[in-house]
Amino acid sequence: MEEGLRHGGLAAVVGDVAHLSMTASRRLHLAAKGTGTLGIALRRWRRQADASDFGQPTAAMTRWRISVLPSTPLPVPGVGRARWLIELIRARAGECLDLELEACDGTGHLGLPADVARGSAATAGGRVSAFG
């Protein structure tokens, strides 16, 4: 990842890492900052016990967590649209954000659940919309 970030000719570098120490994340941050390349480090785990590393500090500008939610119920039998909980856990000089996002509809657009798209954050159970 670091070599890709230092290259300067790439739009973004995405890496799947098991563990990201503060030193390693700082090196990646400096490499990305030097060239203006977007760096994304994905950290996944198979068991909840492996998630304990998530709270460790890093030099990242933002920290996001994406969790799966139950799909939207349909009026007929079948599988509903997939949904995710998108959480901006940390942003330098910014506020946190929780957002429910639905999979693409027939037009290919990601969607906000209807209660969030039409209402305020108060009517959406305290969640806010980043789109509006």
Side-chain angles (χ1 to χ4, degrees):
M1 280 185 70
E2 187 176 348
E3 289 177 19
L5 290 168
R6 291 196 189 283
H7 181 269
L10 302 173
V13 175
V14 179
D16 191 355
V17 298
H19 174 74
L20 189 62
S21 68
M22 182 60 149
T23 304
S25 69
R26 181 71 177 148
R27 290 178 60 97
L28 293 173
H29 174 74
L30 292 172
K33 189 174 180 181
T35 59
T37 302
L38 175 65
I40 300 174
L42 300 174
R43 297 192 307 174
R44 299 181 289 172
W45 46 83
R46 293 186 180 149
R47 295 175 301 278
Q48 188 63 31
D50 298 337
S52 62
D53 183 52
F54 190 78
Q56 299 300 317
T58 65
M61 295 294 290
T62 60
R63 181 179 289 192
W64 298 81
R65 179 174 32 214
I66 302 172
S67 308
V68 67
L69 291 174
S71 62
T72 306
L74 295 176
V76 295
V79 178
R81 289 174 62 188
R83 296 181 338 143
W84 301 275
L85 175 60
I86 312 296
E87 299 171 275
L88 175 57
I89 296 172
R90 177 179 179 267
R92 288 189 185 172
E95 294 185 23
C96 295
L97 170 76
D98 290 354
L99 179 69
E100 289 182 15
L101 191 63
E102 292 182 348
C104 294
D105 58 12
T107 62
H109 295 97
L110 292 172
L112 293 171
D115 57 343
V116 176
R118 282 182 273 141
S120 67
T123 62
R127 289 192 165 75
V128 295
S129 170
F131 305 109

